[in-house]
Amino acid sequence: MRTLVKKHNLGSTKPASQLFLFSDKLNKHIDSYFSGNVVFEIELKGYDYQHHDEAEKVVDFMNAYCKFRSIKPYKYMTVILNYKATGLTMASLSGDYDYPIAVHGSVGYKELTIIHNAYEMLKRRLMVFENYKNLSLAFVDISKDKPIKLPERSVIILKNQLKKSEQSILKSMSTVLSTFHKKFQPSYRK
């Protein structure tokens, strides 16, 4: 029997692999796809990530993916410990799981942490930059009048520099997301 969990403690040891499947509905046959595996079905709204930090990191990337694709974030996450490739194939063929992510071994957990930290740092950098940009544009608006009377050429240069800086941060974020998706695609072969 399976149940929706609000909180789960995986303990101090991590499983050899974790498969994260995202969907808007629960598949009633998931147990048969992954027979012999531990399966957790989690409603993302209100889930406590305190003891499942890799799930929180994967959900952050799922939210970024949905934002990038302009789609509504998924409602459910199904976590399969030590999954089998045949189960993944069956789950994919069901059509219920559009976004699969897999973490393999201790190296995978370390890479997930490193990539997630890089993404979080870039998110903070973008937030700070947006504040700087808003203040700079407010300064430009004020400086158009006397007594400062900022030249139009200086205004254009400043706006172009702000645009280039923002694009650079967004490009870095896109690169980190792309790296995440390349590294954590599940394996259909074993």
Side-chain angles (χ1 to χ4, degrees):
M1 178 161 159
R2 61 186 187 173
T3 58
L4 282 174
V5 290
K6 295 274 184 204
K7 176 180 174 180
H8 189 74
N9 186 356
L10 291 180
S12 61
T13 60
K14 303 281 186 193
S17 68
Q18 287 187 67
L19 176 65
F20 300 90
L21 300 171
F22 292 91
S23 64
D24 285 322
K25 61 181 180 175
L26 297 175
N27 186 312
K28 60 185 174 182
H29 303 292
I30 195 72
D31 290 334
S32 61
Y33 301 157
F34 295 99
S35 62
N37 295 106
V38 178
V39 177
F40 299 109
E41 292 181 318
I42 300 166
E43 185 172 1
L44 293 174
K45 185 179 179 182
Y47 181 65
D48 180 8
Y49 298 101
Q50 182 178 358
H51 299 291
H52 199 181
D53 59 334
E54 56 277 355
E56 183 175 23
K57 293 170 186 168
V58 171
V59 169
D60 284 348
F61 282 110
M62 178 273 299
N63 286 324
Y65 168 82
C66 290
K67 186 176 180 181
F68 179 73
R69 300 272 181 181
S70 298
I71 58 176
K72 189 174 74 172
Y74 297 106
K75 294 179 184 176
Y76 300 100
M77 174 175 63
T78 302
V79 182
I80 297 94
L81 305 183
N82 303 321
Y83 74 98
K84 295 178 184 85
T86 54
L88 175 59
T89 302
M90 295 299 291
S92 295
L93 289 174
S94 75
D96 290 334
Y97 302 102
D98 300 328
Y99 187 68
I101 295 296
V103 181
H104 299 278
S106 61
V107 172
Y109 291 110
K110 287 177 188 172
E111 287 177 340
L112 176 63
T113 299
I114 290 168
I115 293 171
H116 186 264
N117 288 344
Y119 185 73
E120 285 296 313
M121 185 260 316
L122 287 168
K123 275 183 18 182
R124 286 192 305 274
R125 186 178 290 173
L126 182 63
M127 185 181 72
V128 169
F129 178 78
E130 286 174 349
N131 288 335
Y132 169 74
K133 177 181 164 185
N134 291 337
L135 291 172
S136 296
L137 292 175
F139 171 75
V140 165
D141 286 342
I142 292 169
S143 300
K144 286 182 180 178
D145 296 330
K146 290 185 179 181
I148 298 173
K149 192 77 169 148
L150 196 64
E152 189 64 30
R153 178 170 158 67
S154 298
V155 170
I156 291 171
I157 289 171
L158 179 63
K159 286 182 178 181
N160 286 340
Q161 186 59 42
L162 290 171
K163 188 176 219 173
K164 285 179 187 176
S165 297
E166 184 175 35
Q167 287 174 344
S168 173
I169 295 170
L170 291 172
K171 183 178 179 184
S172 295
M173 290 177 80
S174 177
T175 301
V176 169
L177 283 172
S178 177
T179 301
F180 171 80
H181 288 103
K182 286 178 189 170
K183 288 218 177 268
F184 297 103
Q185 283 300 307
S187 174
Y188 289 89
R189 298 180 299 258
K190 277 202 176 180

